Amino acid sequence: MQDERYFKKGSYIFIEGDEETNSVFLVKKGKVSHICSSPILSSALKDAGEGDFFGFISAFSGKPRLSSAVAIQDTIVVDIDRELLFKMLNDKTEIAMKIMNSYSHALQKYDNVLMGIKPISLIYPQSLSLLRLGEYYLENGCNTPANYVFNRYMQLFPDSENISDIQKYIDDTDDPSNHSFFFENEKGDLLYRDGAVIFCEYEPGENLFFIVEGRVKIIKQSKNRDMLLAVLGEGDIFGELALLTKSPRSATAVSFGGTRITPVDMNIFKSHIKHSPDLIKKIITSISQRLWFNHVRLNQMSYKNPITRLFTFLESKLLEDGVSLKRKKPSLLQFGLDELIEMNELSQEENSEEITELLSCRYLSFNFGTITVSNPLEFSSLVQTYKKKDFMTSFKHKKTVKNVSQYNQDDNHYTPDAILHKEIEVESDPDFLFTREFYEILPELNSEDPMKRVNAVIKLGNLGEKAKESVPLLRERLSDNIKVIRRNASRSIINILSPDESFKLFIEAIKEDNQEIRSAAIAGLSELNIAEKSEIVDLLVKSLKDKSDMVRSSTIRSLGSLGIDAENAIPHLLKLLTDKEVSVRILTVNSLESITGPEGYINEVIEAIKKISKNDPDRFVKNSAKDALIKLIRKKKHH
């Protein structure tokens, strides 16, 4: 079924919590905004404009609506039945790719929200998370995964400050008998011995995998222990989320008893989906369910009051189990009070009042290892009351806050001093909630505590274009002495400004004398959502000649992140394979592998990296070159 529907400005298309989710919507004319019960999560929801799909996460996962969709202009939408859309995707794979690409935006927004809720996670960027994972395995005597993680760290972050420690870790965990942990057969399948790591959490995802034979364990390290998430077998697919969303791996995959798998990169994937309707449906359903669960978890974590988080967690568990919140009959949850407290990172001693209040709830009964919700409908109504109380508690008083109204006429922009030092009183008007949050964040940008600075940078980015007046301050953070702050400052600028405005800001920043600013601006350029990348590539190629190793390393990474769009940079990168810096040579090998397509420069790149794998004086450069060579040859062969 496919119908056009007209909605006046202010009309609701669907409501948060709706259990009728068979439809996906396409905006034909107008604009649709999304709002949900959590104000923090509402900031992560992208508006849908002409040509955009919306409502597909709930539709494809078969779960209740995550938000309310409201027309913010007079709007015409096409209402498409879920099964009909799946059939359409079989014939028009470009639509399937558009939907899958939108998942990347959603995941990035959810990650930013999580960082705002748990600021400490911001101090652990990808490099440090990978390092800590390796140290965890090392401390627990698991040398095989530890060695894999440390080698991947060496390949991905050869310019890090602690590289000498990494080299020592690799030597300490090296076992010559483990060197042939996998090999490739004539069909291009990879055969892994028992216990071999296929990929690890936090590393980039360049392939998804089909299991041809054997089994694979999916595990995640949490609270100093490995959690077994799944054991997959023949015919299963894994690793698809990182490939399609361009996000780091969210878990570790280990061969269980030996396995044979087929790796599939993005080019091969695109050709597969043209001939495999079941593959499209399986992958989109899988990722939609993952995103739905992410949203529900973040919604629960966004509340400040522990009792609200406990009640919201129980409500979300009902939804995850497929229990309708309209149901009046009892429903059993398969965990007890102790597990509930532990899962919410609370304690019996510090949260005794909240636990007592929870135990007094007339809709809940607690048994050994189980919790019974006697009436999900009434219980959900109670939970909404707690959510409203939690939200209003933070904003019930009038507040004196900082103003951005001082305008520098000479420079035609708001100055950092003006933003931070003039005070006004904010009344309880419709913009009050945003206004208070915005002005409470600003002073933390100049805090001596790096955790507060990083948290402020991310929160401003989450506010989007409303936080435009903070851009001069974010621009200053591009020179911060903490790398993760510089990187997130560039990302927040991108979230706040339009692509063209961000592009202009980064171009000006590249001209600065400060190498930290140039490096952060170059990283920002590679993340801009601009269809035509040639101008960005040209700017990056020029930066390859920068005298700063920091800037050159950032440039090489940025080119690699652009993929085949940066193929014209290959001749310039080939010259860096003989650079005096080991880190530059390793990063160059990685980027060449990423941006080389199955045609064009493929033969030239293979020959150059083959020489490096044999002749480079550094063993880690050789190892990176050998890994890249396997992927390049596979890429050429499959084409």
Side-chain angles (χ1 to χ4, degrees):
M1 185 178 176
Q2 183 174 336
D3 297 317
E4 283 192 8
R5 297 171 61 187
Y6 172 75
F7 293 89
K8 288 185 176 181
K9 180 180 177 180
S11 300
Y12 282 82
I13 298 161
F14 54 73
I15 302 294
E16 180 180 1
D18 279 354
E19 296 180 7
E20 177 54 56
T21 60
N22 290 327
S23 294
V24 178
F25 300 91
L26 173 67
V27 180
K28 185 174 182 180
K29 183 181 179 182
K31 196 171 186 179
V32 175
S33 184
H34 298 275
I35 53 175
C36 65
S37 55
S38 166
I40 296 175
L41 263 179
S42 289
S43 67
L45 302 176
K46 183 183 178 184
D47 290 347
E50 292 182 15
D52 290 335
F53 287 94
F54 67 95
F56 49 82
I57 293 178
S58 291
F60 291 145
S61 65
K63 302 289 185 181
R65 296 291 184 190
L66 296 171
S67 62
S68 299
V70 59
I72 53 178
Q73 302 172 1
D74 289 347
T75 299
I76 299 174
V77 301
V78 181
D79 183 335
I80 309 171
D81 180 77
R82 174 178 54 207
E83 294 304 320
L84 175 61
L85 182 57
F86 274 130
K87 292 178 182 178
M88 291 169 59
L89 297 182
N90 298 336
D91 300 323
K92 297 181 179 180
T93 54
E94 67 276 8
I95 298 179
M97 292 308 302
K98 183 174 182 178
I99 289 175
M100 291 181 195
N101 288 338
S102 69
Y103 288 141
S104 179
H105 174 89
L107 273 180
Q108 183 181 6
K109 286 289 187 179
Y110 286 151
D111 285 345
N112 286 345
V113 171
L114 179 60
M115 289 177 177
I117 295 170
K118 288 196 166 185
I120 195 166
S121 67
L122 294 175
I123 302 301
Y124 305 143
Q126 184 184 0
S127 57
L128 189 52
S129 297
L130 196 62
L131 174 60
R132 293 194 169 194
L133 181 65
E135 290 175 337
Y136 160 77
Y137 285 122
L138 181 64
E139 290 166 3
N140 286 275
C142 305
N143 283 358
T144 298
N147 189 264
Y148 176 92
V149 173
F150 290 134
N151 271 290
R152 286 298 284 147
Y153 185 99
M154 189 71 196
Q155 291 176 345
L156 296 168
F157 308 105
D159 53 341
S160 70
E161 297 174 354
N162 50 10
I163 209 66
S164 59
D165 293 334
I166 301 299
Q167 292 174 343
K168 183 179 184 301
Y169 289 151
I170 290 173
D171 291 337
D172 290 345
T173 57
D174 190 41
D175 182 354
S177 65
N178 289 336
H179 287 180
S180 299
F181 57 87
F182 83 90
F183 66 92
E184 187 171 4
N185 65 15
E186 66 281 357
K187 293 181 179 179
D189 293 340
L190 302 177
L191 286 78
Y192 286 83
R193 60 173 178 74
D194 180 41
V197 179
I198 299 168
F199 57 72
C200 71
E201 192 173 357
Y202 307 118
E203 71 170 299
E206 300 159 344
N207 297 287
L208 61 81
F209 301 91
F210 294 98
I211 300 178
V212 181
E213 186 179 355
R215 293 184 295 172
V216 172
K217 289 192 294 186
I218 306 298
I219 58 177
K220 188 175 182 68
Q221 192 274 323
S222 176
K223 297 182 180 179
N224 293 318
R225 65 187 180 91
D226 277 344
M227 292 192 303
L228 180 64
L229 302 181
V231 176
L232 307 177
E234 183 176 330
D236 286 331
I237 300 170
F238 65 99
E240 74 282 358
L241 187 65
L243 173 70
L244 297 174
T245 62
K246 299 180 182 178
S247 57
R249 299 291 189 190
S250 59
T252 298
V254 179
S255 174
F256 188 27
T259 188
R260 178 160 63 99
I261 59 178
T262 301
V264 176
D265 63 19
M266 183 57 78
N267 290 324
I268 299 172
F269 174 74
K270 287 178 180 178
S271 65
H272 271 325
I273 62 174
K274 292 178 181 178
H275 311 290
S276 179
D278 289 341
L279 177 62
I280 294 176
K281 187 172 184 177
K282 188 172 186 177
I283 288 179
I284 286 183
T285 299
S286 172
I287 298 179
S288 296
Q289 289 174 344
R290 187 87 60 89
L291 280 170
W292 190 90
F293 288 125
N294 277 6
H295 183 105
V296 170
R297 284 278 190 268
L298 286 172
N299 178 56
Q300 179 259 331
M301 292 167 61
S302 69
Y303 294 99
K304 293 182 178 181
N305 195 324
I307 187 63
T308 309
R309 293 204 302 273
L310 287 168
F311 276 119
T312 307
F313 183 87
L314 291 170
E315 181 187 52
S316 69
K317 277 296 180 183
L318 290 172
L319 291 171
E320 288 178 25
D321 291 348
V323 176
S324 170
L325 296 182
K326 297 177 181 177
R327 173 174 167 160
K328 297 181 180 180
K329 295 181 179 179
S331 182
L332 187 69
L333 296 171
Q334 297 295 331
F335 54 85
L337 179 62
D338 290 342
E339 293 128 306
L340 174 64
I341 294 168
E342 182 182 352
M343 286 187 287
N344 284 274
E345 300 179 359
L346 303 176
S347 72
Q348 296 271 12
E349 295 76 21
E350 295 179 9
N351 304 105
S352 58
E353 290 185 12
E354 289 87 356
I355 294 168
T356 300
E357 186 173 352
L358 180 76
L359 291 171
S360 67
C361 176
R362 63 193 180 102
Y363 301 114
L364 300 175
S365 57
F366 298 86
N367 302 301
F368 182 74
T370 64
I371 299 173
T372 301
V373 182
S374 62
N375 186 323
L377 174 64
E378 295 292 337
F379 176 71
S380 180
S381 178
L382 175 67
V383 174
Q384 303 317 307
T385 302
Y386 275 93
K387 289 179 181 179
K388 290 175 183 176
K389 286 181 181 178
D390 190 286
F391 175 61
M392 294 308 297
T393 299
S394 300
F395 299 105
K396 64 182 179 181
H397 299 298
K398 187 186 289 186
K399 176 81 175 179
T400 298
V401 296
K402 310 298 180 182
N403 184 22
V404 295
S405 61
Q406 186 173 326
Y407 192 77
N408 187 321
Q409 297 291 345
D410 297 329
D411 293 16
N412 291 324
H413 65 265
Y414 293 96
T415 64
D417 285 344
I419 293 173
L420 287 175
H421 294 115
K422 190 171 182 181
E423 296 189 348
I424 64 166
E425 263 199 356
V426 177
E427 302 295 335
S428 297
D429 56 31
D431 294 326
F432 172 60
L433 301 184
F434 161 76
T435 305
R436 175 172 177 175
E437 182 180 10
F438 179 63
Y439 294 118
E440 286 182 340
I441 294 170
L442 291 181
E444 295 187 351
L445 281 173
N446 289 331
S447 170
E448 293 183 2
D449 184 349
M451 185 184 296
K452 288 183 178 179
R453 295 203 305 276
V454 125
N455 194 31
V457 164
I458 291 293
K459 284 185 175 180
L460 287 170
N462 285 343
L463 295 176
E465 63 181 1
K466 291 181 179 180
K468 197 167 185 176
E469 294 169 10
S470 69
V471 169
L473 290 173
L474 289 170
R475 169 70 168 73
E476 288 188 353
R477 287 301 107 214
L478 294 180
S479 63
D480 199 284
N481 62 340
I482 304 294
K483 184 177 180 180
V484 68
I485 297 177
R486 298 196 299 269
R487 188 64 185 270
N488 280 297
S490 67
R491 287 172 176 164
S492 288
I493 288 170
I494 292 171
N495 287 339
I496 293 168
L497 299 179
S498 70
D500 287 341
E501 290 171 323
S502 299
F503 183 70
K504 291 176 183 176
L505 185 149
F506 291 140
I507 287 178
E508 291 302 314
I510 288 174
K511 300 174 184 177
E512 295 274 358
D513 292 334
N514 184 297
Q515 67 172 356
E516 282 80 11
I517 293 178
R518 299 201 305 277
S519 176
I522 284 167
L525 279 173
S526 68
E527 296 190 21
L528 285 176
N529 186 21
I530 295 177
E532 179 51 57
K533 306 285 188 184
S534 58
E535 193 171 356
I536 292 176
V537 173
D538 290 343
L539 285 168
L540 294 178
V541 166
K542 290 178 182 178
S543 295
L544 288 173
K545 298 177 181 179
D546 198 287
K547 294 180 180 179
S548 164
D549 290 335
M550 175 191 290
V551 175
R552 286 192 300 147
S553 294
S554 180
T555 303
I556 296 167
R557 274 201 181 91
S558 294
L559 285 168
S561 70
L562 292 175
I564 200 167
D565 287 330
E567 196 167 25
N568 289 338
I570 288 176
H572 305 278
L573 285 171
L574 287 172
K575 296 175 184 178
L576 294 179
L577 288 174
T578 55
D579 192 273
K580 61 181 176 58
E581 291 292 331
V582 168
S583 61
V584 170
R585 300 203 299 277
I586 292 175
L587 290 171
T588 300
V589 167
N590 295 340
S591 288
L592 282 169
E593 187 275 317
S594 297
I595 69 179
T596 303
E599 298 180 297
Y601 292 99
I602 185 80
N603 292 325
E604 188 177 349
V605 172
I606 286 175
E607 288 304 312
I609 292 184
K610 192 179 291 183
K611 289 179 182 178
I612 294 296
S613 69
K614 295 178 180 178
N615 304 325
D616 195 280
D618 185 88
R619 58 175 171 149
F620 294 109
V621 178
K622 284 183 177 179
N623 289 341
S624 294
K626 289 174 183 176
D627 286 348
L629 201 56
I630 291 171
K631 296 173 184 176
L632 287 164
I633 292 172
R634 186 189 304 142
K635 194 181 293 187
K636 179 182 177 182
K637 179 180 178 182
H638 283 295
H639 177 70

